[in-house]
């Protein structure tokens, strides 16, 4: 940390604690002392765990502290371990603790607040059904009003006001508008198009009238259509119940039982394909930021390779060399790839829907890192 930053933090701390610069002892003196005595903090799991245990043993609410610490740890808050180590050192210094407590009480009194927990105030109230005199009611009212004013003052602090101001302030972001024709032409998507206005195909031959070999070739053709985002004749696509929901399918029940079972094993590939292409088309928009753009571009490269494989399988089908068992065998590596892509897409969508991180934040790579072993092999082919 630079000298300027240390001096700034020292000045902020002195201002917060109400320490004045008297007798030539100002922020510069404390900054020099810190620079001479500063040592690098090397964090280890043991030291961080011991610091956490020490604070928990000294605080009055250990469960709340441990819960808050674990919550911050799960969110990968920067410099959490050094901060915990410093607080554990402060917990041993009784002089500093007494000074901080005195300062907190003085500041609360000046603001008309109290440091008494709400639970302590509620415990002082009489039990339900107790008869109270007008004098007792006035005392209870005064206690509640005092706590309400303290809560109101806390909520309307400078930090909250700054957050609300930043949230309401208009952002100077120039996002180009997408053209209307992009939404007026539904067939531009790589996903399934649910168009109820189109008439049903009356030339569909019932599967029950076909032999097992003919049924197999018919269902292979439908599977190849579904792999490319097109609804088949005997495999129907269900509308989505949710924008980010899983795509479901239904198979003609007159299909041979053994062929039905093998078809059901392949259909998750089509569902994962739908999830992936929906993610690519949505997150490629301007407002989702460069991180999601890069992730969508990498996924799009894999989808191109996937479509080449589907085209090669269709060539084999037309030459009569593709069976359902061969299709199941050829798609094994691709099914694993598409499953990982859909998992990444669902994870990123879940975070963005919860509004935990901004769209251009590092959340997408963090989620991708959870699938490191498989994705290192996947994205190797995108380079």
């Amino acid at each position: 940390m630079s000298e300027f930053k240390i001096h700034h933090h020292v000045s902020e701390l002195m201002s917060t604690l109400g320490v004045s610069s008297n007798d030539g002892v100002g922020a510069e003196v404390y900054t020099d002392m810190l620079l001479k005595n500063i040592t690098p903090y090397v964090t280890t799991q043991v030291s961080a765990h011991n610091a956490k245990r020490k604070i928990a043993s000294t605080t009055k609410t250990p469960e709340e502290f441990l819960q808050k610490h674990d919550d911050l740890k799960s969110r990968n808050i920067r410099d959490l371990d050094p901060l915990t180590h410093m607080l554990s050192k402060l917990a041993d210094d009784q002089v500093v603790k007494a000074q901080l407590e005195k300062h907190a009480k003085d500041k609360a009194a000046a603001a008309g607040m109290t440091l008494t927990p709400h639970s302590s105030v509620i415990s002082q109230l009489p039990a339900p059904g107790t008869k109270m005199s007008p004098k007792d009611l006035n005392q209870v009212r005064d206690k509640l009003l005092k706590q309400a004013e303290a809560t109101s003052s806390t909520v309307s602090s400078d930090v909250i006001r700054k957050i609300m101001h930043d949230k309401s302030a208009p952002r100077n972001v120039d996002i180009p508008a997408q053209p209307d024709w992009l939404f007026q032409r539904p067939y531009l998507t790589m996903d399934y198009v649910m168009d109820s206005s189109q008439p049903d195909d009356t030339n569909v031959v019932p599967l029950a009238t076909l032999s097992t070999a003919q049924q197999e070739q018919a269902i292979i053709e439908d599977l190849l259509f579904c792999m490319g985002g097109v609804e088949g004749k005997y495999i129907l696509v269900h509308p989505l119940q949710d924008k980010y929901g899983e795509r479901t399918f239904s198979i003609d029940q007159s299909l041979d039982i053994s062929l039905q079972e093998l078809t059901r094993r392949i259909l998750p590939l089509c569902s994962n394909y739908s999830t992936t292409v929906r993610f690519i088309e949505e997150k490629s928009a301007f407002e989702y930021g460069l991180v999601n753009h890069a992730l969508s571009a990498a996924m799009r490269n894999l989808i191109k390779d996937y479509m080449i494989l589907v085209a090669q399988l269709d060539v084999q089908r037309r030459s009569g060399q593709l069976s359902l068992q061969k299709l199941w065998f050829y798609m094994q590596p691709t099914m694993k790839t598409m499953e990982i892509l859909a998992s990444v897409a669902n994870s990123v969508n879940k975070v963005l829907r919860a509004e935990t991180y901004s769209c251009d934040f590092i959340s997408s790579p963090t989620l991708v890192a959870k699938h490191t072993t498989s994705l290192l092999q996947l994205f190797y082919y995108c380079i």
Side-chain angles (χ1 to χ4, degrees):
M1 186 180 295
S2 65
E3 180 180 355
F4 175 78
K5 285 188 176 181
I6 294 178
H7 186 276
H8 172 72
H9 291 319
V10 169
S11 300
E12 288 289 326
L13 184 61
M14 293 178 64
S15 175
T16 302
L17 297 178
V19 178
S20 59
S21 300
N22 296 325
D23 301 329
V25 181
E28 294 80 6
V29 178
Y30 294 113
T31 302
D32 293 338
M33 292 175 59
L34 287 173
L35 289 173
K36 292 177 181 178
N37 295 279
I38 193 170
T39 57
Y41 172 74
V42 180
T43 178
T44 62
Q45 292 184 353
V46 176
S47 62
H49 181 69
N50 291 338
K52 183 175 70 171
R53 289 183 57 185
K54 181 182 291 186
I55 298 175
S57 63
T58 57
T59 183
K60 297 180 180 178
T61 55
E63 294 182 358
E64 294 181 7
F65 166 75
L66 293 174
Q67 183 179 0
K68 186 64 176 179
H69 183 277
D70 293 341
D71 176 54
L72 296 175
K73 194 72 174 179
S74 64
R75 290 159 53 187
N76 294 324
I77 299 300
R78 185 180 179 183
D79 294 334
L80 177 62
D81 289 342
L83 176 62
T84 306
H85 179 76
M86 184 192 72
L87 292 177
S88 68
K89 294 296 184 182
L90 291 178
D92 293 336
D93 196 328
Q94 299 299 326
V95 177
V96 176
K97 286 173 61 177
Q99 183 63 29
L100 292 175
E101 184 177 1
K102 178 178 180 301
H103 176 265
K105 290 181 179 179
D106 294 343
K107 189 174 181 179
M113 299 168 57
T114 177
L115 299 180
T116 306
H118 290 181
S119 57
S120 301
V121 177
I122 294 175
S123 63
Q124 298 175 13
L125 299 178
T130 304
K131 293 184 179 180
M132 301 177 63
S133 62
K135 182 178 179 181
D136 295 333
L137 287 174
N138 290 333
Q139 292 178 354
V140 171
R141 184 194 62 184
D142 293 340
K143 289 181 179 179
L144 294 176
L145 287 176
K146 189 174 182 180
Q147 286 298 315
E149 291 175 358
T151 305
S152 175
S153 301
T154 305
V155 173
S156 59
S157 63
D158 295 337
V159 176
I160 300 299
R161 283 198 298 268
K162 183 178 184 300
I163 294 175
M164 295 303 294
H165 176 268
D166 293 342
K167 182 179 288 188
S168 60
R171 297 183 178 182
N172 186 21
V173 179
D174 185 15
I175 299 178
Q178 295 181 336
D180 294 336
W181 57 262
L182 187 62
F183 307 98
Q184 295 171 357
R185 301 179 182 180
Y187 290 94
L188 290 177
T189 180
M190 294 186 293
D191 194 21
Y192 303 92
V193 177
M194 310 304 297
D195 191 357
S196 58
S197 62
Q198 294 294 332
D200 295 334
D201 190 356
T202 57
N203 297 322
V204 177
V205 180
L207 284 176
T209 62
L210 302 177
S211 64
T212 304
Q214 290 174 329
Q215 288 185 16
E216 182 178 10
Q217 291 303 311
I219 206 66
I220 290 175
E221 182 182 11
D222 267 21
L223 280 172
L224 293 176
F225 273 126
C226 290
M227 289 178 189
V230 180
E231 187 177 39
K233 296 178 181 179
Y234 308 106
I235 301 177
L236 302 181
V237 183
H238 295 167
L240 291 172
Q241 301 298 324
D242 180 28
K243 181 180 179 182
Y244 301 110
E246 182 180 1
R247 183 74 69 178
T248 56
F249 305 85
S250 60
I251 308 172
D252 193 328
Q253 295 302 308
S254 60
L255 181 65
D256 183 77
I257 298 299
S258 60
L259 298 179
Q260 279 192 43
E261 181 62 29
L262 203 49
T263 302
R264 287 195 181 94
R265 295 183 183 181
I266 301 176
L267 281 178
L269 170 65
C270 305
S271 177
N272 291 332
Y273 165 82
S274 175
T275 301
T276 304
V277 296
R278 277 182 280 144
F279 177 87
I280 292 172
E281 292 176 351
E282 180 184 14
K283 299 304 184 290
S284 296
F286 293 104
E287 60 267 23
Y288 285 97
L290 296 178
V291 171
N292 286 298
H293 290 177
L295 179 59
S296 300
M299 288 182 171
R300 194 184 295 273
N301 288 336
L302 292 174
I303 291 296
K304 288 180 181 179
D305 295 338
Y306 165 78
M307 297 305 293
I308 292 174
L309 174 61
V310 173
Q312 292 172 342
L313 292 173
D314 188 54
V315 171
Q316 285 200 16
R317 180 193 67 83
R318 291 176 182 272
S319 61
Q321 300 177 1
L322 183 64
S323 64
L324 198 57
Q325 287 287 350
K326 281 186 177 181
L327 178 61
W328 167 250
F329 174 76
Y330 289 147
M331 299 308 296
Q332 288 302 306
T334 305
M335 291 184 71
K336 182 62 177 177
T337 300
M338 204 63 67
E339 181 183 358
I340 296 174
L341 291 179
S343 176
V344 173
N346 288 328
S347 299
V348 176
N349 285 331
K350 183 179 179 181
V351 171
L352 296 184
R353 289 181 72 181
E355 298 181 353
T356 306
Y357 302 102
S358 62
C359 295
D360 198 21
F361 194 55
I362 199 64
S363 57
S364 298
T366 303
L367 292 167
V368 171
K370 293 182 180 180
H371 310 271
T372 303
T373 304
S374 300
L375 283 170
L376 284 177
Q377 302 172 3
L378 274 179
F379 288 103
Y380 170 78
Y381 298 103
C382 299
I383 301 175

